Coordinates of all heavy atoms in Angstrom, one line a residue:
M356 N 19.5 -19.5 8.6 CA 19.8 -18.4 7.5 C 19.3 -17.1 8.0 O 18.2 -17.0 8.4 CB 19.0 -18.9 6.3 CG 19.2 -17.7 5.1 SD 18.5 -18.3 3.6 CE 19.9 -19.3 2.9
V357 N 20.3 -16.1 8.0 CA 20.0 -14.8 8.5 C 19.9 -13.8 7.4 O 20.9 -13.7 6.7 CB 21.1 -14.4 9.5 CG1 20.8 -13.0 10.1 CG2 21.2 -15.5 10.7
L358 N 18.8 -13.1 7.3 CA 18.5 -12.1 6.2 C 18.9 -10.7 6.8 O 18.3 -10.4 7.8 CB 17.2 -12.2 5.7 CG 16.8 -11.1 4.7 CD1 17.6 -11.1 3.4 CD2 15.3 -11.2 4.4
E359 N 19.7 -10.0 6.2 CA 19.9 -8.6 6.5 C 18.8 -7.8 5.8 O 18.6 -7.8 4.6 CB 21.3 -8.1 5.9 CG 21.5 -6.7 6.2 CD 22.8 -6.2 5.6 OE1 23.0 -6.1 4.4 OE2 23.8 -5.9 6.4
S360 N 18.0 -7.1 6.7 CA 16.9 -6.3 6.2 C 17.2 -5.2 5.3 O 18.2 -4.5 5.5 CB 16.0 -5.8 7.4 OG 15.3 -6.9 8.0
P361 N 16.4 -4.8 4.4 CA 16.5 -3.5 3.7 C 16.5 -2.4 4.7 O 15.8 -2.5 5.8 CB 15.1 -3.4 2.8 CG 14.7 -4.8 2.7 CD 15.1 -5.5 3.9
F362 N 17.2 -1.4 4.5 CA 17.3 -0.2 5.4 C 18.2 -0.4 6.6 O 18.4 0.4 7.5 CB 15.9 0.3 5.8 CG 15.1 0.8 4.8 CD1 14.2 0.1 4.1 CD2 15.0 2.2 4.4 CE1 13.3 0.5 3.0 CE2 14.3 2.8 3.4 CZ 13.4 1.9 2.8
Y363 N 18.8 -1.7 6.6 CA 19.6 -2.0 7.8 C 21.0 -2.4 7.4 O 21.1 -2.9 6.2 CB 18.9 -3.1 8.6 CG 17.9 -2.7 9.6 CD1 17.2 -1.5 9.5 CD2 17.5 -3.5 10.6 CE1 16.3 -1.1 10.3 CE2 16.5 -3.2 11.5 CZ 15.9 -1.9 11.4 OH 14.9 -1.6 12.3
G364 N 22.0 -2.3 8.3 CA 23.3 -2.8 8.0 C 23.8 -2.1 6.7 O 23.8 -0.9 6.6
K365 N 24.5 -3.0 5.9 CA 25.1 -2.4 4.6 C 24.0 -2.0 3.6 O 24.3 -1.4 2.6 CB 26.0 -3.4 4.0 CG 27.2 -3.8 4.9 CD 28.1 -4.7 4.1 CE 29.4 -4.9 4.9 NZ 30.4 -5.9 4.3
R366 N 22.7 -2.2 4.0 CA 21.6 -1.8 3.1 C 21.0 -0.5 3.5 O 19.9 -0.2 3.1 CB 20.6 -2.9 3.0 CG 21.1 -4.3 2.6 CD 20.1 -5.4 2.6 NE 19.2 -5.2 1.4 CZ 18.2 -6.0 1.2 NH1 17.8 -6.9 2.1 NH2 17.4 -5.7 0.1
R367 N 21.5 0.2 4.5 CA 20.9 1.4 5.1 C 21.3 2.5 4.2 O 22.3 2.7 3.8 CB 21.6 1.6 6.5 CG 21.0 2.8 7.3 CD 21.6 2.9 8.6 NE 22.9 3.2 8.6 CZ 23.9 3.3 9.6 NH1 23.3 2.7 10.8 NH2 25.0 3.6 9.4
P368 N 20.2 3.3 4.0 CA 20.4 4.5 3.1 C 21.4 5.6 3.7 O 21.5 5.6 5.0 CB 19.0 5.2 3.0 CG 18.0 4.1 3.4 CD 18.7 3.1 4.4
M369 N 22.1 6.3 2.9 CA 23.1 7.2 3.4 C 22.6 8.2 4.4 O 23.3 8.4 5.4 CB 23.8 7.9 2.2 CG 25.0 8.7 2.6 SD 25.6 9.4 1.1 CE 26.1 8.1 0.1
L370 N 21.4 8.7 4.2 CA 20.9 9.8 5.1 C 20.3 9.3 6.4 O 19.9 10.0 7.3 CB 20.0 10.7 4.4 CG 20.6 11.4 3.2 CD1 19.5 12.2 2.5 CD2 21.8 12.3 3.6
Q371 N 20.0 7.9 6.5 CA 19.4 7.3 7.7 C 20.4 7.2 8.8 O 21.4 6.6 8.6 CB 18.7 6.1 7.4 CG 17.9 5.3 8.4 CD 17.4 4.0 8.0 OE1 16.6 4.0 7.0 NE2 17.7 3.0 8.7
R372 N 20.0 7.6 10.0 CA 20.8 7.3 11.2 C 20.3 6.2 12.0 O 19.1 6.1 12.4 CB 20.7 8.6 12.1 CG 21.7 9.6 11.4 CD 21.8 10.9 12.4 NE 22.4 10.5 13.7 CZ 22.3 11.2 14.8 NH1 21.7 12.4 14.8 NH2 22.9 10.7 16.0
G373 N 21.1 5.1 12.1 CA 20.6 3.9 12.9 C 19.4 3.3 12.3 O 19.3 3.1 11.1
A374 N 18.5 2.9 13.2 CA 17.3 2.2 12.7 C 16.1 3.3 12.5 O 14.9 2.8 12.2 CB 16.8 1.2 13.7
K375 N 16.3 4.5 12.6 CA 15.3 5.6 12.6 C 14.9 5.9 11.2 O 15.5 6.6 10.5 CB 15.6 6.7 13.3 CG 16.0 6.5 14.8 CD 14.8 6.0 15.6 CE 15.0 5.7 17.0 NZ 15.5 6.8 17.8
L376 N 13.9 5.1 10.7 CA 13.5 5.3 9.2 C 13.1 6.7 9.0 O 12.5 7.4 9.9 CB 12.3 4.3 8.9 CG 12.7 2.8 9.2 CD1 11.4 2.0 9.0 CD2 13.7 2.3 8.3
L377 N 13.3 7.2 7.9 CA 13.0 8.6 7.6 C 11.6 8.8 7.2 O 11.1 10.0 7.6 CB 13.9 9.1 6.4 CG 15.4 9.0 6.5 CD1 16.1 9.3 5.3 CD2 15.8 9.9 7.7
C378 N 10.8 8.0 6.6 CA 9.4 8.2 6.3 C 8.6 7.1 6.7 O 9.1 5.9 6.8 CB 9.2 8.4 4.8 SG 10.1 9.8 4.0
V379 N 7.2 7.2 7.0 CA 6.4 6.2 7.2 C 6.4 5.1 6.1 O 6.4 3.9 6.3 CB 4.9 6.7 7.5 CG1 4.0 5.6 7.8 CG2 5.0 7.7 8.7
S380 N 6.4 5.6 4.9 CA 6.6 4.7 3.7 C 7.7 3.7 3.8 O 7.5 2.6 3.4 CB 6.6 5.5 2.4 OG 7.7 6.3 2.4
D381 N 8.8 4.1 4.4 CA 10.0 3.3 4.6 C 9.6 1.9 5.3 O 10.1 0.9 5.2 CB 11.1 3.9 5.2 CG 11.7 5.1 4.3 OD1 11.5 5.1 3.1 OD2 12.5 5.8 4.9
L382 N 8.8 2.1 6.4 CA 8.3 1.1 7.2 C 7.7 -0.1 6.5 O 7.9 -1.2 6.6 CB 7.5 1.5 8.5 CG 7.1 0.4 9.5 CD1 8.5 -0.1 10.2 CD2 6.2 0.9 10.6
L383 N 6.7 0.4 5.6 CA 6.0 -0.5 4.8 C 6.9 -1.2 3.7 O 6.7 -2.3 3.3 CB 4.7 0.1 4.1 CG 3.6 0.6 5.0 CD1 2.4 1.2 4.3 CD2 3.2 -0.5 6.0
L384 N 7.8 -0.2 3.2 CA 8.7 -0.8 2.2 C 9.6 -1.8 2.7 O 9.9 -2.9 2.2 CB 9.5 0.5 1.7 CG 10.4 0.3 0.4 CD1 9.6 -0.4 -0.8 CD2 11.0 1.6 0.0
L385 N 10.2 -1.6 3.9 CA 11.0 -2.5 4.6 C 10.2 -3.8 4.8 O 10.8 -4.9 4.5 CB 11.5 -1.9 5.9 CG 12.4 -2.8 6.8 CD1 13.1 -1.8 7.8 CD2 11.9 -3.9 7.5
G386 N 9.1 -3.8 5.3 CA 8.2 -5.0 5.5 C 7.9 -5.7 4.2 O 8.1 -7.0 4.1
K387 N 7.5 -5.0 3.2 CA 7.1 -5.8 1.9 C 8.3 -6.3 1.3 O 8.3 -7.6 0.8 CB 6.5 -4.7 1.0 CG 6.0 -5.3 -0.4 CD 4.8 -6.1 -0.2 CE 4.1 -6.5 -1.5 NZ 4.9 -7.4 -2.4
A388 N 9.5 -5.7 1.2 CA 10.7 -6.3 0.6 C 11.2 -7.5 1.5 O 11.6 -8.5 0.9 CB 11.7 -5.2 0.5
T389 N 11.2 -7.3 2.8 CA 11.5 -8.4 3.6 C 10.7 -9.6 3.4 O 11.2 -10.8 3.3 CB 11.4 -8.0 5.0 OG1 12.3 -7.0 5.3 CG2 11.7 -9.2 6.0

Side-chain angles (χ1 to χ4, degrees):
M356 176 170 280
V357 179
L358 173 65
E359 181 182 67
S360 286
F362 295 90
Y363 278 21
K365 293 185 178 180
R366 307 180 72 185
R367 186 176 65 189
M369 185 181 301
L370 297 178
Q371 179 184 309
R372 289 183 59 194
K375 300 300 176 64
L376 304 173
L377 296 174
C378 299
V379 175
S380 59
D381 291 347
L382 184 65
L383 295 186
L384 188 55
L385 186 161
K387 183 68 167 69
T389 296

